Every structure is written in C-alpha cells, then in structure tokens.
C-alpha cells in the first residue's frame, strides 16, 4: 500500500521549488495510492489535483481545499460521490471508469454551485434508465455532462420529469446494491479460501484423483502406480506457473473493485518475484579469496549499482534496493575488486581473506631422506646440499690495516758512491703522527730518491 507522504508531494512539486504550502497544482497519478490524506492540511492553496489511475475507494479529506477547481479521480475504485461539499470553488469533476452505482449520491453536488463539468463515463450508473435526465435535473448548475453540452430545452424536459426519473433510478439502484452485496460476499469467500484453492490445484492431496471411495487397493500397488505416473508425466514448475498465469488472466470474472484490486496484487507479486536477485557465494581456497556472484540485470546501467565491502559483510545497492550478505570469513575491503560482465551483466566481487587465515596449498610429497655413512665413502644429504652451494672467500675485518705511506719509497741503494749515506729504516707509522706529517715525510723521501738517482747518473 502506497501512502501520500510529504516526501512524495515534495518530489511532485519540483515546479514550485519543492514548496508544498503554496502549491497550486500537483499530479499524484499512477502511484497505487489507496487513500486520500494530508492534502487538505499541507496544500491548502491547491487549485488542480490529479489522482487518476490509483486504487482509491473513497472520496475523503478534500473538504478543506476551498480553492480547488479541478479534481481528477478517473480510474479508481470509487462507488459513492461524497465529501465534496466543502470544495466551494470546484468547477470540474472527473470520475471516469469508477464504480459509482449509487446515482442518487450525485445530488450531494448541489452545494457546489460553481460546478460546470461532470464526467461519469464508464460507471455502472450510466447504464440506468433515465440516467442523463436525472443528473441534468438534479444539478441545474451543470453546463456539460460526460463531455456533451446540456442545452436549455434538455434541462427543461429533465426538470419536468424529475420525480419519475428519481423513482425509476431508485428501483434500479436497489437492484444494483443487491448484486454488489453478492459480489462482495463472493470476494470474501474467495479471499478466505486462498489456501484451499492452492490445495485444489492438485487432483488430490497425494496428486491423484479418487473416483470411488469403495475401490481400495494395496499400498504397494498404489505406490507403484503413483511412481509410474510420475515417471510418465513429470511435473515442470515453470509449465505449472505458466498454466496458473494463463488461468488467472483468461478466467471470466465480473469487473468490480475487488477484482481490480486482486489483479493489482497479482501484478505486484510478479513484480516482486522478478526483483529478487539470485547470487552465489563461493570460497576460492587456492587463491585464498571469497567470491560473490550477483545476477544483476543485464541491461542495467552500472551507475545505478553501489558496492560497499566491509570486513564481515558485503552490501550492494541496486537502484536504491539493498542486497546484503554476511561473509563466512573476514576479508580485506581495500584489496577487494568489483567487476561487471559485459555479456550477462552479473556483478563479481572478489574479496581476499584477511591475515591470519590459513592458506591451503597443494603440496608435493618429498622422498624420504637417505643418509649414507661417511665410512662407506658416501655423503649425507645435508653435506651434498652444502657442496652444491658455491664457496666464497671472506676477509677477516680484523686483518685489514691502513696503507703505510712511509714504506712506499725503496730503501736499498744499488751501488756505493761518494754520496752514499746510511739511513736507518723509517719508523713505522704510529698513531701519534698526524696525517700532515705523514704526507711531508713521503714528499721528502721522493726528493731524496730522485737526488740519489741523479748522482748515480753523473758518476
């Protein structure tokens, strides 16, 4: 059941910047509304109100709309014209294709002195003898009835025969009300016996017809016969559903508010059944992930889908409708991915498991270790593994020393000469020498060596 809410009216008041207190025109057609409410308190400035093609059974809660000029209630379930006396400015009333059978209720519109047009086409009362004459005479302010202008001569003739038309209409109205009572009783019985009708869809409680209560057989023979019948004629659920659908729409029934409401309920159930999305939740042990395959409609735009993955559940919004499933293990939302199939339209969520889950991997059995005795000339498996690893030379860090610059200059002299001098070996570099001192000594050694070589060359 759809209710008239403030949000619904605001969405229909976009032309008025979504303001409802100053709204003068609103269209609420084809919303499956079953009751008129709140409009007389929220939208007191209304002049035009469209409520056609709904499921409204009664005119109510519009008496405070003093400025209402046009009310459209076509294609609803209204049976009586009532509660319109307060609509002082009403000029046009459309009740096309409703169920108005009490033609005498038209006289309640006498107080609407500004009413100029009235439409009752498609109502049961239009089949009454003297219908037009009675309405024209009962509502002298009317200018047009069912789209046909009322002439002055027609109004005079209708006024002259008003009493006779009223008596004739009252008799036909009583007969109609009697039939309506029978239709309502039948509808109540049908609604109360829904469960019994479901059982009656089968030939019997066990799926077989019983034609003779005195004809009994052994349980074994009945069981064998039943199995044989099921094997010969297997039941297909899809075919059974198609048959029920065909029977529902092709079975003759009277056009009443109850049958119209029943057809609407049936369509709603079919619509809800189609809106259910099938899904498949699997665990990929090899990749340590959880996969959700949601059968989204093939031609739906991806922008209408919103995915929210949490560590313990996944939520998918499809056209504003929520699909949520609890995950069998904790997952990583940041590492999860969502993909859409271009052929089927399915939504595929791949969610890696969180840390701490044991990853199952396929292991290859290893051959048992065979240890050989070294005395027998063989090596153990550990020794063989060590032998296969290449050896690398490593230098002991403690053996590394600084370069001794003082020992670079050779100290031996090839030949003795007049310039021969005996010079003791230079002391080793010690920690108390500074770097500058070492460099000075090296320069002096080079100079001395060059002088000695020059002297040898001259001699």
């Amino acid at each position: 059941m759809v209710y008239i809410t403030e949000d619904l009216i605001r969405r229909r008041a976009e032309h008025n910047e979504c303001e409802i207190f100053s709204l003068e025109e609103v269209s609420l057609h084809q919303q499956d509304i079953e009751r008129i409410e709140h409009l007389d308190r929220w939208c007191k400035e209304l002049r035009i109100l469209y409520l056609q093609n709904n499921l409204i059974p009664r005119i109510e809660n519009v008496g405070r709309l003093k400025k209402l000029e046009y009310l459209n209630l076509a294609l609803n379930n209204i049976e009586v014209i009532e509660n319109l006396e307060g609509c002082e400015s009403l000029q046009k009333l459309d009740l096309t294709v409703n169920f108005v059978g009490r033609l005498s209720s038209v006289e309640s519109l006498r107080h609407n002195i500004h009413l100029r047009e009235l439409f009752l086409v498609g109502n049961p009362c239009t089949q009454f003898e003297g219908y037009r004459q009675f309405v024209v005479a009962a509502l002298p302010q009317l200018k047009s009835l069912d789209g046909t202008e009322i002439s002055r001569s027609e109004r005079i003739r209708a006024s002259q025969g008003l009493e006779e038309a009223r008596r004739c209409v009252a008799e036909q109205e009583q007969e109609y009300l009697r039939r309506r009572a029978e239709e309502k009783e039948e509808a109540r019985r049908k609604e109360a016996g829904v469960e019994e009708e479901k059982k009656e869809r089968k030939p019997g409680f066990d799926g077989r017809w019983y034609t003779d209560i005195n004809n009994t057989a052994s349980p074994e023979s009945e069981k064998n016969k039943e199995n044989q019948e099921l094997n010969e004629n297997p039941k297909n659920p899809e075919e059974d559903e198609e048959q029920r659908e065909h029977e529902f729409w092709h079975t003759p029934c009277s056009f009443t508010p109850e049958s119209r409401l029943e057809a609407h309920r049936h369509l709603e159930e079919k619509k809800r059944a189609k809106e259910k999305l099938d899904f498949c939740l699997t665990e990929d042990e090899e990749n340590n992930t959880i996969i959700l395959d949601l059968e989204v409609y093939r031609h739906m735009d991806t922008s209408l889908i919103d995915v929210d993955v949490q560590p313990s559940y996944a939520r998918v919004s499809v056209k504003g409708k929520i699909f949520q499933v609890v995950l069998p293990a904790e997952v990583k939302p940041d590492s999860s991915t969502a993909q859409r199939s271009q052929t089927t339209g399915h939504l595929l969520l791949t969610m890696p498991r969180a840390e701490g889950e044991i990853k199952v991997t396929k292991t290859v059995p290893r051959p048992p270790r065979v240890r050989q005795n070294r005395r027998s000339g063989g090596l153990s498996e550990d020794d063989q593994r060590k032998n296969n690893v290449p050896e690398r030379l490593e230098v002991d860090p403690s053996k590394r020393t600084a370069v001794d610059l003082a020992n670079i200059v050779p100290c031996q002299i090839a030949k003795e000469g007049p310039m021969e001098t005996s010079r003791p070996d230079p002391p080793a570099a010690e920690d108390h020498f500074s770097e500058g001192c070492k460099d000075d000594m090296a320069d002096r050694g080079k100079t001395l060596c060059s002088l000695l070589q020059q002297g040898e060359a001259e001699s």
Side-chain angles (χ1 to χ4, degrees):
M1 182 175 178
V2 179
Y3 297 93
I4 297 178
T5 61
E6 183 179 350
D7 179 66
L8 176 61
I9 299 177
R10 289 191 184 278
R11 283 190 282 111
R12 293 289 181 169
E14 295 179 353
H15 59 282
N16 198 43
E17 297 181 355
C18 298
E19 294 181 356
I20 63 176
F21 69 92
S22 61
L23 191 63
E24 295 185 358
E25 179 180 348
V26 64
S27 178
L28 300 174
H29 64 284
Q30 296 181 349
Q31 296 294 316
D32 298 332
I33 298 172
E34 297 187 19
R35 185 182 180 187
I36 304 174
E37 54 186 351
H38 306 308
L39 293 175
D40 57 339
R41 294 186 292 108
W42 295 344
C43 312
K44 293 185 177 181
E45 301 296 323
L46 272 181
R47 295 180 181 273
I48 301 175
L49 177 57
Y50 296 98
L51 286 169
Q52 68 269 27
N53 202 359
N54 285 290
L55 301 169
I56 301 172
R58 184 182 179 190
I59 303 175
E60 57 185 341
N61 298 321
V62 293
R64 299 180 183 178
L65 300 177
K66 303 299 181 180
K67 299 181 180 181
L68 185 64
E69 299 177 359
Y70 176 33
L71 177 59
N72 192 332
L73 287 168
L75 295 168
N76 279 281
N77 295 343
I78 296 172
E79 299 188 59
V80 181
I81 301 175
E82 57 185 346
N83 301 324
L84 291 173
E85 296 83 356
C87 301
E88 300 173 355
S89 303
L90 187 63
Q91 299 179 10
K92 182 178 180 180
L93 176 61
D94 193 348
L95 292 171
T96 303
V97 190
N98 274 270
F99 299 91
V100 178
R102 294 185 181 180
L103 187 56
S104 58
S105 62
V106 172
E107 294 183 327
S108 65
L109 297 175
R110 282 185 174 183
H111 303 283
N112 304 96
I113 58 177
H114 299 287
L115 185 63
R116 296 294 181 264
E117 297 180 64
L118 177 63
F119 291 87
L120 292 173
V121 178
N123 286 271
C125 63
T126 59
Q127 304 298 323
F128 292 177
E129 183 181 353
Y131 149 74
R132 185 175 178 88
Q133 180 183 1
F134 175 79
V135 176
V136 171
L139 303 175
Q141 73 273 29
L142 277 185
K143 300 295 183 182
S144 173
L145 176 61
D146 296 336
T148 303
E149 186 178 356
I150 302 173
S151 62
R152 182 179 179 183
S153 59
E154 182 183 7
R155 191 181 304 279
I156 294 174
R157 290 194 301 269
S159 300
Q160 294 174 351
L162 177 59
E163 294 301 327
E164 181 64 23
R166 182 178 284 114
R167 183 184 60 79
C168 183
V169 166
E171 293 177 358
Q172 297 176 80
E173 189 176 296
Q174 291 297 325
E175 179 64 21
Y176 170 78
L177 294 177
R178 185 186 61 80
R179 291 198 308 268
R180 275 296 293 140
E182 295 177 356
E183 292 172 353
K184 290 181 180 180
E185 184 64 26
E186 182 181 357
R188 280 195 292 266
R189 287 198 304 267
K190 186 176 181 180
E191 185 177 358
V194 170
E195 296 298 329
E196 295 180 0
E197 289 180 3
K198 290 182 179 179
K199 295 180 180 179
E200 290 175 359
R201 286 184 185 138
K202 297 182 180 180
F205 291 102
D206 55 356
R208 293 181 289 112
W209 287 103
Y210 291 93
T211 57
D212 189 359
I213 59 175
N214 296 323
N215 186 11
T216 58
S218 61
E220 295 181 358
S221 61
E222 291 182 357
K223 186 176 181 180
N224 295 334
K225 186 177 180 180
E226 180 181 356
N227 294 333
Q228 183 179 359
E229 291 177 356
L230 291 175
N231 293 332
E232 293 177 355
N233 300 316
K235 293 184 179 180
N236 190 344
E238 296 182 358
E239 294 180 358
D240 191 17
E241 183 66 23
E242 291 179 0
Q243 183 179 359
R244 281 187 234 163
E245 190 75 9
H246 183 271
E247 291 178 356
F248 180 83
W249 293 111
H250 289 80
T251 301
C253 65
S254 56
F255 184 61
T256 62
E258 293 77 19
S259 63
R260 187 168 182 264
L261 194 60
E262 182 184 4
H264 171 73
R265 298 280 188 265
H266 182 77
L267 292 175
E268 285 294 316
E269 291 179 1
K270 299 292 290 184
K271 184 178 179 180
R272 283 195 297 266
K274 290 182 179 180
E275 289 177 352
K276 294 179 181 179
L277 300 178
D278 294 333
F279 69 96
C280 179
L281 187 65
T282 58
E283 299 184 35
D284 188 355
E285 300 291 348
E286 184 175 355
N287 297 321
N288 200 26
T289 58
I290 298 175
I291 300 175
L292 173 62
D293 185 3
L294 186 61
E295 297 183 7
V296 182
Y297 310 119
R298 179 179 179 181
H299 301 289
M300 178 181 290
D301 190 358
T302 307
S303 61
L304 300 175
I305 303 175
D306 186 19
V307 180
D308 180 20
V309 178
Q310 297 295 331
S312 59
Y313 67 90
R315 178 183 297 170
V316 181
S317 176
V318 181
K319 294 180 66 175
K321 297 182 179 180
I322 303 299
F323 171 86
Q324 183 169 319
V325 61
V326 178
L327 302 177
E330 188 174 351
V331 299
K332 299 178 181 178
D334 297 338
S335 303
S336 302
T337 60
Q339 296 175 329
R340 184 91 184 274
S341 174
Q342 295 182 352
T343 56
T344 62
H346 290 193
L347 179 66
L348 188 67
L349 298 182
T350 304
M351 300 165 283
R353 291 194 181 187
E355 297 294 337
E357 295 289 337
I358 300 175
K359 182 178 179 180
V360 180
T361 57
K362 296 181 180 180
T363 57
V364 179
R366 299 175 60 182
R369 294 183 178 182
V370 179
R371 294 184 176 272
Q372 297 181 357
N373 192 358
R374 294 187 178 182
R375 295 180 181 178
S376 61
L379 297 177
S380 64
E381 186 177 353
D382 295 337
D383 294 337
Q384 291 178 1
R385 188 183 301 107
K386 291 180 181 180
N387 293 335
N388 293 333
V389 178
E391 296 182 358
R392 294 179 176 83
L393 297 177
E394 296 183 359
V395 180
D396 187 3
S398 61
K399 301 298 182 181
R400 298 176 183 176
T401 57
V403 179
D404 190 358
L405 300 177
N407 294 330
I408 294 178
V409 181
C411 299
Q412 296 182 357
I413 302 175
K415 297 182 180 180
E416 294 181 358
M419 297 182 63
E420 180 180 359
T421 59
S422 60
R423 182 176 60 84
D425 296 336
E430 297 180 359
D431 295 338
H432 61 272
F433 287 104
S434 64
E435 294 295 333
C437 182
K438 293 180 181 180
D439 294 340
D440 191 16
M441 292 175 63
D443 293 339
R444 290 181 180 181
K446 291 180 181 180
T447 304
L448 180 61
C449 182
S450 60
L451 290 175
L452 291 175
Q453 292 179 355
Q454 185 179 2
E456 283 184 340
E458 292 176 358
S459 60

PDB file of all heavy atoms in Angstrom, residues 18 80 85 182 356 363 384 406:
ATOM      1  N   CYS A  18       9.798  22.773  -4.794  1.00  0.00           N
ATOM      2  CA  CYS A  18       9.562  21.776  -3.733  1.00  0.00           C
ATOM      3  C   CYS A  18       8.862  22.368  -2.510  1.00  0.00           C
ATOM      4  O   CYS A  18       8.919  21.778  -1.417  1.00  0.00           O
ATOM      5  CB  CYS A  18      10.867  21.098  -3.316  1.00  0.00           C
ATOM      6  SG  CYS A  18      11.652  20.168  -4.649  1.00  0.00           S
ATOM      7  N   VAL A  80     -19.229   5.871  -4.372  1.00  0.00           N
ATOM      8  CA  VAL A  80     -20.197   6.878  -3.929  1.00  0.00           C
ATOM      9  C   VAL A  80     -19.564   8.260  -4.084  1.00  0.00           C
ATOM     10  O   VAL A  80     -18.381   8.454  -3.772  1.00  0.00           O
ATOM     11  CB  VAL A  80     -20.607   6.652  -2.456  1.00  0.00           C
ATOM     12  CG1 VAL A  80     -21.622   7.696  -2.013  1.00  0.00           C
ATOM     13  CG2 VAL A  80     -21.160   5.250  -2.259  1.00  0.00           C
ATOM     14  N   GLU A  85     -18.689  18.760  -0.433  1.00  0.00           N
ATOM     15  CA  GLU A  85     -19.461  19.973  -0.171  1.00  0.00           C
ATOM     16  C   GLU A  85     -18.568  21.153   0.182  1.00  0.00           C
ATOM     17  O   GLU A  85     -18.896  22.315  -0.106  1.00  0.00           O
ATOM     18  CB  GLU A  85     -20.458  19.740   0.956  1.00  0.00           C
ATOM     19  CG  GLU A  85     -21.541  18.711   0.637  1.00  0.00           C
ATOM     20  CD  GLU A  85     -21.071  17.283   0.872  1.00  0.00           C
ATOM     21  OE1 GLU A  85     -19.874  17.099   1.203  1.00  0.00           O
ATOM     22  OE2 GLU A  85     -21.891  16.356   0.734  1.00  0.00           O
ATOM     23  N   GLU A 182     -23.856  -9.393  -3.188  1.00  0.00           N
ATOM     24  CA  GLU A 182     -23.468 -10.761  -3.575  1.00  0.00           C
ATOM     25  C   GLU A 182     -22.018 -10.813  -4.063  1.00  0.00           C
ATOM     26  O   GLU A 182     -21.287 -11.754  -3.750  1.00  0.00           O
ATOM     27  CB  GLU A 182     -24.414 -11.267  -4.661  1.00  0.00           C
ATOM     28  CG  GLU A 182     -25.859 -11.438  -4.201  1.00  0.00           C
ATOM     29  CD  GLU A 182     -26.765 -11.873  -5.331  1.00  0.00           C
ATOM     30  OE1 GLU A 182     -26.260 -11.963  -6.489  1.00  0.00           O
ATOM     31  OE2 GLU A 182     -27.963 -12.110  -5.081  1.00  0.00           O
ATOM     32  N   GLY A 356      45.923 -13.986   8.902  1.00  0.00           N
ATOM     33  CA  GLY A 356      45.596 -14.921   9.972  1.00  0.00           C
ATOM     34  C   GLY A 356      44.832 -16.120   9.499  1.00  0.00           C
ATOM     35  O   GLY A 356      44.742 -17.124  10.200  1.00  0.00           O
ATOM     36  N   THR A 363      50.573 -29.495  -1.877  1.00  0.00           N
ATOM     37  CA  THR A 363      51.962 -29.849  -1.606  1.00  0.00           C
ATOM     38  C   THR A 363      52.317 -31.138  -2.336  1.00  0.00           C
ATOM     39  O   THR A 363      51.487 -32.025  -2.503  1.00  0.00           O
ATOM     40  CB  THR A 363      52.177 -30.044  -0.090  1.00  0.00           C
ATOM     41  OG1 THR A 363      51.275 -31.050   0.379  1.00  0.00           O
ATOM     42  CG2 THR A 363      51.889 -28.727   0.654  1.00  0.00           C
ATOM     43  N   GLN A 384      75.705 -32.985   0.913  1.00  0.00           N
ATOM     44  CA  GLN A 384      75.569 -32.778  -0.516  1.00  0.00           C
ATOM     45  C   GLN A 384      74.981 -31.407  -0.820  1.00  0.00           C
ATOM     46  O   GLN A 384      75.393 -30.744  -1.770  1.00  0.00           O
ATOM     47  CB  GLN A 384      74.681 -33.873  -1.121  1.00  0.00           C
ATOM     48  CG  GLN A 384      75.329 -35.251  -1.103  1.00  0.00           C
ATOM     49  CD  GLN A 384      74.391 -36.295  -1.677  1.00  0.00           C
ATOM     50  OE1 GLN A 384      73.281 -35.960  -2.094  1.00  0.00           O
ATOM     51  NE2 GLN A 384      74.836 -37.543  -1.678  1.00  0.00           N
ATOM     52  N   ALA A 406     104.953   5.443   4.463  1.00  0.00           N
ATOM     53  CA  ALA A 406     106.405   5.582   4.671  1.00  0.00           C
ATOM     54  C   ALA A 406     107.196   4.474   4.006  1.00  0.00           C
ATOM     55  O   ALA A 406     108.367   4.645   3.673  1.00  0.00           O
ATOM     56  CB  ALA A 406     106.724   5.624   6.163  1.00  0.00           C
TER      57      ALA A 406
END
